[in-house]
Coordinates of all heavy atoms in Angstrom, one line a residue:
Q147 N 115.5 113.9 87.6 CA 116.8 113.9 88.3 C 117.7 112.7 87.9 O 118.9 112.8 88.0 CB 116.5 113.9 89.8 CG 115.9 115.1 90.3 CD 115.5 115.1 91.8 OE1 115.5 114.0 92.4 NE2 115.2 116.2 92.3
N148 N 117.1 111.6 87.5 CA 117.9 110.4 87.3 C 117.9 109.8 85.9 O 118.6 108.8 85.6 CB 117.4 109.3 88.3 CG 117.6 109.8 89.7 OD1 118.7 109.8 90.2 ND2 116.5 110.2 90.3
G149 N 117.1 110.3 85.0 CA 117.0 109.7 83.7 C 116.1 108.5 83.7 O 115.3 108.3 84.6
E150 N 116.1 107.8 82.6 CA 115.2 106.7 82.4 C 115.3 105.6 83.5 O 116.3 105.4 84.1 CB 115.4 106.0 81.0 CG 116.6 105.2 80.9 CD 116.7 104.5 79.5 OE1 116.1 104.9 78.6 OE2 117.5 103.5 79.5
A151 N 114.2 104.9 83.6 CA 114.1 103.8 84.6 C 113.0 102.8 84.2 O 112.0 103.2 83.5 CB 113.8 104.4 86.0
S152 N 113.1 101.6 84.7 CA 112.0 100.6 84.6 C 111.0 100.9 85.6 O 111.2 101.6 86.6 CB 112.6 99.2 84.8 OG 113.0 99.1 86.1
A153 N 109.8 100.3 85.4 CA 108.7 100.4 86.4 C 109.2 99.9 87.8 O 108.8 100.4 88.8 CB 107.5 99.7 85.9
T154 N 109.9 98.8 87.7 CA 110.4 98.2 89.0 C 111.3 99.1 89.7 O 111.2 99.3 90.9 CB 111.1 96.9 88.7 OG1 110.2 96.0 88.1 CG2 111.7 96.2 90.0
R155 N 112.2 99.8 89.0 CA 113.1 100.7 89.6 C 112.4 101.9 90.2 O 112.7 102.5 91.3 CB 114.2 101.2 88.7 CG 115.2 102.1 89.3 CD 116.4 102.4 88.5 NE 117.2 103.4 89.2 CZ 117.9 104.4 88.6 NH1 117.9 104.4 87.3 NH2 118.6 105.2 89.3
L156 N 111.4 102.4 89.4 CA 110.6 103.5 89.8 C 109.9 103.2 91.2 O 109.8 104.0 92.1 CB 109.5 103.9 88.8 CG 110.1 104.6 87.5 CD1 109.0 104.7 86.5 CD2 110.7 105.9 87.9
A157 N 109.3 102.0 91.3 CA 108.7 101.6 92.5 C 109.7 101.5 93.7 O 109.5 102.0 94.7 CB 108.0 100.2 92.3
D158 N 110.8 100.9 93.4 CA 111.9 100.8 94.4 C 112.4 102.1 94.9 O 112.6 102.3 96.1 CB 113.0 99.9 93.9 CG 112.7 98.5 93.7 OD1 111.6 98.0 94.2 OD2 113.5 97.8 93.0
E159 N 112.6 103.0 94.0 CA 113.3 104.3 94.3 C 112.3 105.3 94.9 O 112.7 106.2 95.6 CB 114.0 104.8 93.1 CG 115.1 104.0 92.5 CD 116.4 104.0 93.4 OE1 116.6 105.0 94.2 OE2 117.1 103.0 93.3
T160 N 111.1 105.3 94.5 CA 110.1 106.3 94.9 C 109.3 105.8 96.2 O 108.6 106.7 96.8 CB 109.1 106.6 93.8 OG1 108.3 105.5 93.5 CG2 109.8 107.2 92.6
G161 N 109.3 104.5 96.5 CA 108.5 104.0 97.6 C 107.1 103.8 97.2 O 106.3 103.5 98.1
L162 N 106.7 104.0 96.0 CA 105.3 103.7 95.5 C 105.2 102.2 95.3 O 106.1 101.5 94.9 CB 105.1 104.5 94.2 CG 105.2 106.0 94.3 CD1 105.2 106.6 92.9 CD2 104.0 106.6 95.1
D163 N 103.9 101.7 95.4 CA 103.7 100.3 95.1 C 103.5 100.2 93.6 O 103.4 101.2 92.9 CB 102.6 99.7 95.9 CG 101.2 100.2 95.5 OD1 101.0 100.5 94.4 OD2 100.4 100.2 96.4
K164 N 103.6 99.0 93.0 CA 103.6 98.8 91.6 C 102.3 99.3 91.0 O 102.3 99.8 89.9 CB 103.8 97.3 91.3 CG 105.2 96.9 91.5 CD 105.5 95.5 91.1 CE 106.9 95.2 91.5 NZ 107.7 94.4 90.6
N165 N 101.2 99.2 91.7 CA 99.9 99.7 91.1 C 99.9 101.2 91.0 O 99.5 101.8 90.0 CB 98.7 99.3 92.0 CG 98.4 97.8 91.8 OD1 98.6 97.3 90.8 ND2 97.8 97.2 92.9
E166 N 100.5 101.9 92.0 CA 100.6 103.3 92.0 C 101.5 103.8 90.8 O 101.2 104.8 90.2 CB 101.2 103.9 93.3 CG 100.2 103.7 94.5 CD 100.9 104.0 95.8 OE1 102.0 103.6 96.0 OE2 100.2 104.7 96.6
V167 N 102.6 103.0 90.6 CA 103.5 103.4 89.5 C 102.8 103.2 88.2 O 102.9 104.1 87.3 CB 104.8 102.5 89.6 CG1 105.6 102.6 88.3 CG2 105.6 102.8 90.8
Q168 N 102.1 102.1 88.0 CA 101.4 101.9 86.7 C 100.3 103.0 86.5 O 100.2 103.5 85.4 CB 100.7 100.5 86.7 CG 101.8 99.4 86.6 CD 102.7 99.5 85.4 OE1 102.3 99.9 84.4 NE2 103.9 99.1 85.6
R169 N 99.6 103.4 87.5 CA 98.6 104.5 87.3 C 99.3 105.8 87.0 O 98.9 106.5 86.1 CB 97.8 104.6 88.6 CG 96.8 103.5 88.9 CD 96.0 103.8 90.1 NE 95.3 102.6 90.5 CZ 95.5 101.9 91.6 NH1 96.4 102.2 92.5 NH2 94.8 100.8 91.8
A170 N 100.4 106.1 87.7 CA 101.1 107.3 87.4 C 101.8 107.3 86.0 O 101.7 108.4 85.4 CB 102.2 107.5 88.5
I171 N 102.3 106.2 85.6 CA 102.8 106.1 84.2 C 101.7 106.4 83.2 O 101.9 107.1 82.3 CB 103.4 104.7 84.0 CG1 104.8 104.6 84.7 CG2 103.6 104.4 82.5 CD1 105.3 103.2 84.8
G172 N 100.5 105.8 83.4 CA 99.4 106.1 82.6 C 99.0 107.6 82.5 O 98.8 108.2 81.5
W173 N 99.0 108.2 83.7 CA 98.7 109.7 83.8 C 99.7 110.5 83.0 O 99.3 111.3 82.2 CB 98.8 110.0 85.3 CG 98.6 111.5 85.7 CD1 99.3 112.5 85.3 CD2 97.5 112.0 86.5 NE1 98.8 113.7 85.9 CE2 97.7 113.4 86.6 CE3 96.4 111.4 87.2 CZ2 96.9 114.2 87.4 CZ3 95.6 112.2 87.9 CH2 95.8 113.6 88.0
L174 N 101.0 110.2 83.2 CA 102.1 111.0 82.6 C 102.0 110.7 81.1 O 102.2 111.6 80.3 CB 103.4 110.6 83.1 CG 103.7 111.1 84.6 CD1 104.9 110.5 85.1 CD2 103.8 112.6 84.6
A175 N 101.8 109.5 80.7 CA 101.7 109.1 79.2 C 100.6 109.8 78.6 O 100.7 110.4 77.5 CB 101.6 107.6 79.1

C-alpha cells in the first residue's frame, strides 16, 4: 500500500516491535 520503507518505519507504522519486523523481513526475503 505504501511502497518501500526502512525497518524502523515498518515497526512504527505496523505496531510490530523491531524483533518481529526483522523476523518477518527474513520470512519474506
Side-chain angles (χ1 to χ4, degrees):
Q147 293 176 346
N148 299 284
E150 73 176 18
S152 67
T154 300
R155 181 170 177 215
L156 289 170
D158 291 345
E159 298 287 337
T160 62
L162 299 168
D163 70 35
K164 290 186 184 220
N165 288 331
E166 291 170 318
V167 169
Q168 292 301 325
R169 289 182 191 114
I171 286 170
W173 177 297
L174 291 168

